[in-house]
């Protein structure tokens, strides 16, 4: 740039400048003001851009030189000095290693020397990269070469020192051999620094020369720019100032409100256009003022309407306190309380005598207060000063708002009461973890003084109070926080906390919408105890406290697992003999006491590792551990039978009960819980069949017997669907009338494979599996249906089991059977045994009375074989007593039961009951029954049970009485 400026002749520059000025003057004179200003701005912008561009290039060039001087020369010197410092540190470490004999120090110093050597190599490399000349780069290479040689020599020499630790002095002389390399390194580093410094000086000189040239050129350009700026300013001022003065005068007249002022016409430039526009503006302003006046009048009218119909009362007081404006709503309020517009009263404090008085701040621009009217309404009074010194008063009826506030206050009071008296402790924290709400119950649960719990406390502060109260033993706040976070993450916001005094607190943690959280606490100590008790009761018998069936099954599983590693064990199934009779005769309290006493004796018979359980009813079970042979189980079984059979004293009664025991041995009789329990139960079943009061071990043959019984159960369940049951009828003979008086319905099962199954085989099974009720209902319906077609003098007798009597639907079932069959109720006779009356005598007697009230006859079957028949005869008037066939068969013997039969017939006669002898098979038995006074007889002497198809022939054969039968017929009947 410098040579170019110097080569231009000063005369030529001046001529060029004059030519430019002349052309610009002509353009400004001919063109518009805007064109002149545009030309001036463009010219100045071009000059400024040229000067700025050149200055930017010069500054950038000088900056590059300075940056190169610093980044390359100075940085190279710095890294060269750093390399010298690294090498000096290497020599110091080498000297320290020579002076010590500690191997650990040797290792550390060797590592330090290696690290310093690496750092020296990096510093030398950077110094070479930043150097400005090849000689500096060569010096850096020599520094690296000498440092590498020194390091290699150092490692070889000290390796030999380690191999020959005794030659210390010789080692010192050998180490001194590294000094030439050290000198070389120092010399080359100094050369590198000097070379780099020289290069930096050369760059500095270049930068100074470039800056000098740029300063000269910029000074010349700035001088030219100032001259051009002055010229353009003079030309524009001459063109603009005169016309602008005229336009300013006209504008001032318009601004002063003189809308009739004259405005001269302008030329074709912008000033002429401005004068023309000012004329139009004067006319437009005049039109606008006229419209504004009209609009203002209209707005005043609308404002007046709005104020008049507003729900707010508005009053304008002038500076003298006089009412300048008031709408009708405000007038209504003022009529009620004129002091509402009294500024003096408004400035005083409220008193009890004037409820509408209120205080307003003296220096406030705006203020609000409240006033109550004599009619009870509340007003909010807003006061705003006007610019003229008056006051605008706005009255708002806030009676509804006041009522809402009162209701809200009452609601808050109720909420506070609820929080205070709620059974749960509650804490509410905001998003910053500060306490916002806490109730009394929370302090009670954690035994914290309510005075110590303040709103605004952090969650950690509350925890510290709980720790200080001794609720958490040795746990700290940090431990509690960590434990709480873990429990929350695992349990989803709910967890239990055990306090040091043994109480259990249930804590629920819920997040709130503002980032805070709500904690509710409840003392669940009693609930936890109850749950523990429930868990215990779920696995133990409620009456005896022994393990129940569930826990006993788990103990068997544990014993099976232990048997794999050691000796076997035995499973006992124990059932009390005739417990139901004791329960029915002496009552359930005595029965429950007996079960508890038996449980205590069984527990006393076993060792500590054994298990005694109650499976239900009078059924117990036992696990005998460490059983090496069957003899071990025999000893325990004998002890159990003997101990249980000993007499009991219960509620003033001496009770004797026996037990039957079934035993299965593991692993011989099974290796699973199901197999061992099943086999022990089968052995118990065999023990009962063999006479009770004894024990039996499981044998494989028992399984076959059980399978046969199960097959019978399965067939029996399907028999009703397959219609395999049928009714047979045995005649009941009236000895006084010498004719048939009716039939007893007897159930028979025609099995497709077993044939005709006797009732004594399937009736007990039906009672056990719960089939006796629907089966008895079927018998009632079928018997009534068939008896309805018989002659009216014949009755039908149907046996009803004790299970049926426990069904509350029995009376309805019988009524339905009579209704469907159209059988007269007096023709149906129900036969029950004394066992029906043992279970629940009061309800049974009530059912019997209901049935008798409907016209049915009730017979007491198998009389004389029960426990307290006479008491039942007193409580219910039976229609018939049926003498058991065991007394009938024995009545003809020399020392038989003739007197018993006589007593029964006499008892029936005195009570007005019919007596029927069952099982009459011979003429002698029949004559004896007639002699003793029996009314009816029943047995094979008259007929065997026959199906419904043979009833007609049976009736015909007995129509003419017993005397018409031939001796051969009697023999055939007896043989059959």
């Amino acid at each position: 740039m410098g040579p170019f400026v110097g080569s231009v002749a000063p005369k030529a520059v001046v001529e060029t400048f004059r030519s430019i000025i002349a052309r610009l003057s002509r353009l400004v004179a001919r063109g518009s003001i805007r064109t002149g200003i545009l030309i001036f701005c463009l010219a100045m912008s071009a000059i400024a851009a040229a000067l700025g561009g050149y200055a930017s290039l010069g500054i950038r060039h000088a900056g590059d030189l300075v940056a190169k001087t610093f980044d390359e020369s100075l940085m190279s010197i710095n890294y060269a000095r750093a390399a010298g410092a690294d090498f000096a540190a290497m020599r110091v470490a080498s000297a320290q290693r020579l002076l010590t004999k500690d191997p650990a120090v040797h290792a550390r110093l060797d590592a330090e020397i290696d690290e310093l050597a690496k750092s020296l190599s990096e510093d030398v490399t950077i110094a070479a990269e930043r150097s400005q000349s090849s000689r500096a780069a060569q010096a850096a290479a020599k520094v690296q070469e000498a440092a590498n040689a020194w390091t290699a020599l150092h490692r070889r020499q000290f390796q030999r020192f380690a191999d020959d630790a005794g030659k210390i002095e010789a080692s010192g002389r050998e180490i001194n051999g590294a000094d030439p390399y050290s000198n070389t390194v120092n010399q080359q580093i100094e050369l590198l620094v000097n070379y780099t410094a020289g290069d930096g000086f050369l760059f500095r000189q270049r930068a100074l020369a470039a800056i000098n040239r740029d300063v000269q050129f910029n000074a010349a350009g700035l001088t030219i720019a100032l001259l051009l700026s002055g010229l353009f300013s003079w030309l524009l001022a001459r063109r603009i100032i005169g016309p602008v003065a005229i336009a300013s005068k006209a504008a001032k007249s318009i601004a002063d409100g003189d809308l009739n002022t004259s405005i001269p016409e302008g030329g074709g430039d912008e000033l002429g256009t401005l004068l023309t526009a000012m004329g139009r503006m004067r006319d437009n302003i005049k039109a606008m003022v006229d419209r504004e006046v009209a609009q203002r009048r209209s707005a005043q009218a609308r404002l007046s309407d709005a104020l008049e119909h507003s729900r707010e009362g508005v009053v304008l007081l002038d500076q003298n306190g006089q009412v300048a404006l008031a709408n009708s709503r405000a007038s209504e309020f003022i009529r009620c309380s004129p002091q509402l517009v009294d500024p003096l009263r408004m400035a005083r404090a409220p008193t009890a005598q004037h409820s509408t008085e209120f205080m307003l701040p003296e220096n406030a621009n705006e203020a609000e207060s409240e006033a109550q009217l004599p009619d009870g309404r509340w007003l909010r009074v807003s006061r705003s000063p006007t610019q003229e010194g008056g006051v605008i008063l706005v009255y708002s009826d806030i009676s509804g708002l006041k009522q809402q506030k009162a209701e809200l206050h009452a609601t808050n009071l109720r909420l506070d009461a609820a929080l205070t008296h709620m059974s749960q402790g509650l804490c509410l924290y905001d998003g910053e973890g500060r306490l916002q709400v806490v109730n009394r119950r929370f302090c009670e649960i954690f035994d914290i003084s309510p005075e110590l719990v303040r709103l605004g406390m952090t969650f950690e502060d509350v925890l510290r109070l709980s720790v200080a109260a001794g609720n958490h033993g040795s746990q700290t706040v940090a431990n509690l926080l960590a434990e709480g976070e873990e429990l929350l993450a695992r349990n989803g916001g709910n967890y239990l906390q055990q306090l040091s005094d043994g109480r259990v607190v249930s804590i629920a943690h819920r997040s709130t919408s503002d980032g805070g959280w709500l904690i509710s606490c409840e003392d669940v100590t009693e609930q936890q105890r109850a749950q523990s008790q429930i868990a215990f009761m779920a696995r133990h018998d409620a009456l005896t406290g022994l393990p129940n069936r569930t826990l006993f099954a788990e103990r068997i599983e544990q014993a099976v697992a232990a048997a794999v590693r050691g000796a076997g064990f035995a499973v006992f199934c124990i059932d009390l003999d005739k417990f139901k009779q004791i329960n029915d005769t002496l009552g359930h309290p005595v029965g429950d006491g007996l079960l508890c006493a038996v449980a205590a004796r069984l527990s006393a018979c076993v060792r500590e590792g054994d298990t005694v359980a109650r499976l239900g009813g009078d059924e117990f079970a036992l696990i005998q551990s460490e059983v090496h042979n069957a003899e071990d189980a025999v000893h325990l079984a004998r002890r159990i039978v003997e101990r249980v059979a000993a007499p009991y004293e219960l509620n003033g009664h001496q009770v004797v009960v026996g037990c039957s025991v079934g035993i299965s041995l593991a692993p011989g009789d099974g290796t699973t819980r199901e197999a061992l329990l099943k086999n022990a139960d089968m052995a118990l079943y065999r023990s009962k069949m063999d006479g009770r009061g004894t024990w039996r071990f499981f044998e494989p043959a028992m399984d076959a017997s059980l399978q046969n019984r199960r097959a019978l159960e399965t067939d029996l369940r399907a028999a009703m669907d397959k219609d395999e049951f049928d009714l047979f009828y045995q005649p009941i003979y009236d000895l006084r009338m010498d004719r048939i008086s009716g039939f007893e319905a007897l159930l028979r099962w025609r099995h497709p494979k077993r044939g005709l199954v006797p009732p004594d085989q399937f009736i007990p099974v039906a009672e056990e599996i719960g089939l006796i009720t629907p089966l008895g209902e079927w018998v009632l319906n079928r018997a009534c249906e068939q008896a309805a077609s018989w002659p009216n003098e014949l009755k039908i007798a149907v046996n009803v089991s004790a299970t049926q009597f426990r069904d509350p639907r029995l009376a309805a079932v019988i009524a339905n059977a009579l209704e469907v069959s159209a059988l007269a109720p007096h023709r149906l006779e129900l036969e029950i045994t004394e066992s029906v009356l043992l279970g629940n005598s009061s309800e049974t007697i009530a059912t019997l009375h209901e049935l008798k009230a409907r016209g049915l006859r009730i017979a007491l079957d198998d009389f004389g074989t029960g426990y307290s028949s006479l008491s039942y005869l007193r409580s219910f008037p039976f229609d018939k007593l049926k003498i058991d066939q065991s007394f009938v068969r024995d009545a003809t013997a020399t020392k038989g039961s003739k007197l018993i039969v006589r007593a029964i017939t006499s008892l029936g006669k005195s009570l007005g009951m019919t007596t029927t002898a069952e099982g009459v098979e011979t003429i002698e038995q029949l004559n004896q029954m007639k002699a003793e006074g029996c009314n009816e007889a029943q047995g094979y002497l008259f007929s065997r049970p026959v199906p419904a198809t043979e009833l007609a022939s049976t009736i015909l054969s007995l129509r003419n009485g017993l005397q018409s039968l031939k001796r051969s017929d009697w023999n055939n009947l007896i043989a059959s």
Side-chain angles (χ1 to χ4, degrees):
M1 297 289 293
F4 173 76
V5 174
S7 63
V8 178
K11 187 176 181 180
V13 173
V14 173
E15 293 296 331
T16 303
F17 184 69
R18 289 178 178 175
S19 175
I20 293 173
I21 291 174
R23 293 180 180 179
L24 289 176
S25 298
R26 289 192 295 270
L27 286 174
V28 172
R30 292 196 303 268
S32 64
I33 297 175
R34 182 170 51 188
T35 303
I37 295 174
L38 178 61
I39 293 172
F40 171 73
C41 292
L42 290 176
M44 296 306 298
S45 298
I47 295 172
L51 291 175
Y54 180 80
S56 298
L57 292 175
I59 292 171
R60 181 176 180 182
H61 179 63
D64 291 341
L65 292 176
V66 173
K68 194 168 184 181
T69 300
F70 176 79
D71 291 343
E72 295 183 0
S73 299
L74 295 182
M75 293 300 289
S76 179
I77 293 172
N78 289 338
Y79 278 101
R81 294 298 185 190
D86 292 338
F87 186 71
M90 291 169 61
R91 294 187 66 187
V92 171
S94 176
Q96 290 177 350
R97 192 184 189 285
L98 180 63
L99 295 177
T100 184
K101 297 179 181 181
D102 189 352
V105 176
H106 288 176
R108 180 178 62 78
L109 292 174
D110 287 342
E112 183 178 348
I113 290 171
D114 292 341
E115 185 65 26
L116 289 170
K118 181 179 179 182
S119 177
L120 183 144
S121 177
E122 293 175 353
D123 293 341
V124 170
T125 300
I126 296 174
E129 292 175 352
R130 299 294 180 96
S131 64
Q132 303 293 327
S133 61
S134 59
R135 58 182 183 177
Q138 290 174 1
K142 289 180 180 181
V143 171
Q144 184 66 56
E145 180 180 355
N148 291 339
W150 184 89
T151 302
L153 179 60
H154 166 79
R155 291 175 178 170
R156 288 195 303 272
Q157 289 173 348
F158 278 106
Q159 182 64 36
R160 289 197 298 272
F161 301 160
D163 297 337
D164 191 3
K167 298 178 181 181
I168 302 301
E169 295 180 359
S171 300
R173 289 192 300 271
E174 292 178 1
I175 291 174
N176 291 333
D179 288 342
Y181 293 104
S182 302
N183 296 332
T184 302
V185 172
N186 293 331
Q187 291 172 2
Q188 294 302 322
I189 289 174
E190 290 298 327
L191 286 175
L192 176 59
V193 171
N194 293 333
Y195 292 158
T196 304
D199 295 338
F201 178 77
L202 293 177
F203 277 104
R204 173 178 174 276
Q205 293 300 111
R206 295 177 188 173
L208 291 175
I211 291 172
N212 188 33
R213 289 194 303 270
D214 293 339
V215 169
Q216 294 175 0
F217 183 79
N218 284 331
L222 182 59
T223 301
I224 296 173
L226 290 174
L227 293 175
L228 289 175
S229 177
L231 175 62
F232 278 113
S233 300
W234 176 75
L235 292 175
L236 290 175
R238 190 179 64 178
R239 176 73 182 275
I240 296 174
I241 290 175
V244 167
I246 298 173
S248 299
K249 183 178 179 182
K252 186 175 182 302
S253 298
I254 295 173
D256 292 338
D258 185 7
L259 299 180
N260 297 319
T261 185
S262 60
I263 299 175
E265 295 183 359
D269 56 6
E270 287 86 352
L271 285 174
T273 304
L274 176 62
L275 292 174
T276 303
M278 289 180 66
R280 291 199 299 270
M281 179 179 68
R282 179 199 58 191
D283 298 337
N284 291 336
I285 291 175
K286 187 175 181 181
M288 289 175 60
V289 168
D290 295 339
R291 287 197 303 272
E292 181 70 20
V293 171
Q295 290 176 357
R296 201 171 274 185
R297 290 173 180 171
S298 176
Q300 288 177 350
R302 289 196 297 270
L303 177 60
S304 178
D305 292 340
L307 288 175
E308 191 63 24
H309 295 91
S310 174
R311 298 183 61 184
E312 311 293 331
V314 180
V315 175
L316 174 62
L317 300 179
D318 59 17
Q319 57 187 356
N320 297 322
Q322 300 299 319
V323 177
L325 175 66
N327 63 354
S328 59
R329 184 69 166 166
S331 300
E332 175 190 350
F333 296 147
I334 294 171
R335 281 195 298 272
C336 293
S337 294
Q339 61 268 34
L340 285 174
V341 293
D342 187 353
L344 296 178
R345 299 179 67 88
M346 290 167 54
R348 292 198 299 269
T351 62
Q353 291 78 13
H354 301 282
S355 61
T356 55
E357 295 179 355
F358 43 85
M359 174 67 75
L360 294 177
E362 295 181 359
N363 298 325
N365 293 328
E366 295 184 5
E368 289 186 358
S369 75
E370 297 177 354
Q372 188 175 19
L373 299 178
D375 60 3
R377 288 181 295 171
W378 280 92
L379 300 180
R380 177 185 291 118
V381 183
S382 300
R383 179 178 183 271
S384 302
T386 63
Q387 294 179 355
E388 292 80 9
V391 177
I392 297 177
L393 297 176
V394 179
Y395 307 110
S396 302
D397 190 342
I398 57 171
S399 301
L401 182 61
K402 277 287 188 179
Q403 183 179 358
Q404 292 178 359
K405 286 184 177 180
E407 293 175 354
L408 179 60
H409 180 67
T411 301
N412 289 335
L413 291 178
R414 290 193 294 270
L415 178 60
D416 291 341
L419 289 175
T420 302
H421 297 91
M422 67 186 299
S423 62
Q424 292 181 330
L426 182 140
C427 284
L428 177 64
Y429 293 88
D430 60 13
E432 298 179 356
R434 298 287 179 177
L435 183 63
Q436 300 298 311
V437 177
V438 63
N439 68 347
R440 176 183 56 81
R441 182 58 180 158
F442 176 83
C443 298
E444 292 176 352
I445 291 176
F446 291 97
D447 196 19
I448 302 174
S449 175
E451 290 76 12
L452 299 178
V453 181
R454 300 181 305 275
L455 299 183
M457 297 178 67
T458 63
F459 180 63
E460 290 79 2
D461 294 336
V462 178
L463 274 183
R464 289 189 186 91
L465 294 178
S466 181
V467 171
N471 293 320
H472 308 286
S474 60
Q475 286 185 298
T476 63
V477 174
N479 294 338
L480 291 174
L481 288 173
E483 179 183 348
E485 291 178 358
E486 180 182 355
L487 291 174
L488 287 175
R490 185 168 66 245
N491 301 321
N494 297 314
Y495 62 91
L496 297 177
Q497 188 174 60
Q498 180 83 32
L499 301 185
S500 57
D501 59 359
R503 291 181 297 138
V504 179
V505 178
S506 175
I507 298 178
H509 186 286
R510 297 290 182 271
S511 299
T512 59
S513 59
D514 61 350
W517 64 91
L518 176 68
I519 295 178
S520 60
C521 310
E522 184 177 4
D523 189 341
V524 294
T525 306
E526 295 301 325
Q527 179 181 347
Q528 289 294 306
R529 291 174 183 170
Q531 289 179 353
S532 300
Q533 181 66 22
I534 292 172
F536 177 84
M537 294 175 63
R539 298 161 62 84
H540 292 78
D541 178 51
L543 178 63
T544 62
L546 295 177
N548 60 9
R549 186 180 297 273
T550 301
L551 182 55
F552 186 72
E554 296 177 4
R555 296 285 176 84
I556 293 182
E557 297 287 357
Q558 296 171 4
V560 169
V564 177
R565 302 184 297 271
F569 64 94
V571 176
F572 290 66
C573 282
I574 305 167
D575 199 18
L576 301 184
D577 297 332
K578 298 182 180 180
F579 172 75
K580 187 176 184 304
Q581 297 177 3
I582 297 173
N583 210 17
D584 293 339
T585 56
L586 300 180
H588 290 286
V590 175
D592 292 344
L594 177 60
L595 291 175
C596 293
V598 170
R601 292 188 182 183
L602 290 176
S603 300
C605 291
V606 300
R607 298 166 298 185
E608 183 177 356
D610 299 337
T611 299
V612 178
R614 182 188 177 207
L615 303 185
D618 60 342
E619 184 180 357
F620 294 85
L622 186 148
I623 300 175
Q624 182 186 14
S625 60
E626 299 295 330
V627 176
H628 300 282
N629 50 55
E631 194 63 28
D632 295 339
V634 169
H635 290 318
L636 179 58
R638 182 181 293 111
R639 187 162 61 251
I640 290 173
V641 171
E642 292 174 354
R643 295 280 183 89
V644 172
Y648 299 84
E649 289 291 337
L650 301 171
N651 295 341
H653 300 279
Q654 186 176 36
V655 180
V656 177
V657 68
C659 68
S660 301
V661 181
I663 308 170
S664 62
L665 298 176
D669 294 337
T671 57
T672 63
R673 168 176 56 86
E674 294 81 2
L676 290 169
L677 277 175
K678 183 190 72 172
N679 294 338
D681 192 57
M682 284 190 287
L684 174 63
Y685 183 72
R686 176 57 59 87
S687 175
K688 290 182 177 181
M689 292 180 61
D690 290 348
R692 303 177 182 270
T694 184
W695 63 87
R696 291 290 182 269
F697 285 92
F698 169 73
E699 298 175 1
M702 298 178 181
D703 192 21
S705 175
L706 181 62
Q707 295 299 331
N708 185 30
R709 176 183 170 83
R710 288 179 177 172
L712 183 64
E713 292 179 5
T714 302
D715 294 344
L716 186 58
R717 292 180 188 277
M720 288 194 66
D721 296 334
K722 296 180 180 179
D723 197 20
E724 295 177 359
F725 291 106
D726 198 2
L727 288 183
F728 278 47
Y729 298 93
Q730 189 174 32
I732 301 173
Y733 200 84
D734 190 331
L735 297 180
R736 290 179 298 177
M737 302 294 295
D738 196 22
R739 63 181 177 82
I740 294 176
S741 60
F743 291 89
E744 180 181 0
L746 301 173
L747 183 63
R748 294 293 185 267
W749 180 16
R750 298 184 184 276
H751 194 278
K753 295 182 180 179
R754 302 174 188 265
L756 198 63
V757 182
D760 59 349
Q761 291 186 10
F762 70 86
I763 291 297
V765 177
E767 290 180 346
E768 291 180 11
I769 66 176
L771 194 62
I772 192 64
T773 298
L775 192 57
E777 185 175 343
W778 179 87
V779 171
L780 275 170
N781 291 325
R782 180 62 64 88
C784 291
E785 177 186 354
Q786 294 181 348
S789 61
W790 300 348
N792 291 333
E793 67 271 11
L794 296 180
K795 60 180 178 293
I796 179 69
V798 179
N799 290 282
V800 180
S801 69
T803 303
Q804 288 178 267
F805 255 90
R806 287 194 291 270
D807 187 356
R809 301 183 304 109
L810 177 62
V813 169
I814 294 174
N816 181 69
L818 293 173
E819 181 180 358
V820 172
S821 63
L823 181 69
H826 71 274
R827 295 181 59 193
L828 177 60
E829 186 176 277
L830 302 180
E831 295 186 2
I832 64 172
T833 61
E834 293 177 357
S835 61
V836 172
L837 301 170
L838 293 176
N840 191 343
S841 59
S842 60
E843 294 184 3
T844 302
I845 294 299
T847 303
L848 290 173
H849 278 288
E850 180 184 355
L851 295 175
K852 190 168 184 179
R854 295 187 180 188
L856 280 72
R857 292 173 55 83
I858 309 297
L860 185 59
D861 199 5
D862 298 335
F863 184 77
T865 60
Y867 303 101
S868 54
S869 302
L870 297 180
S871 64
Y872 296 136
L873 293 178
R874 183 180 62 182
S875 61
F876 181 77
F878 288 95
D879 297 294
K880 178 188 291 187
L881 298 178
K882 298 191 73 172
I883 304 173
D884 188 72
Q885 59 183 349
S886 61
F887 298 129
V888 174
R889 285 194 299 266
D890 197 37
T892 56
T894 303
K895 297 181 179 181
S897 54
K898 175 171 57 177
L899 297 178
I900 296 177
V901 174
R902 184 179 304 166
I904 294 174
T905 55
S906 298
L907 180 63
K909 185 182 299 182
S910 62
L911 294 176
M913 301 178 184
T914 302
T915 54
T916 302
E918 293 184 298
V920 177
E921 297 180 353
T922 65
I923 293 294
E924 291 79 9
Q925 292 174 352
L926 178 61
N927 292 332
Q928 185 66 44
M929 295 301 105
K930 292 179 67 177
E932 298 299 338
C934 288
N935 305 112
E936 295 177 343
Q938 182 180 351
Y940 278 14
L941 177 64
F942 305 99
S943 173
R944 59 181 177 82
V946 297
T949 56
E950 299 181 16
L951 286 178
S953 60
T954 303
I955 294 173
L956 289 174
S957 64
L958 295 176
R959 172 174 291 177
N960 298 324
L962 295 176
Q963 300 299 329
S964 63
L965 293 175
K966 298 180 180 179
R967 177 61 59 181
S968 59
D969 295 333
W970 286 104
N971 293 335
N972 292 335
L973 286 171
I974 294 172
S976 63

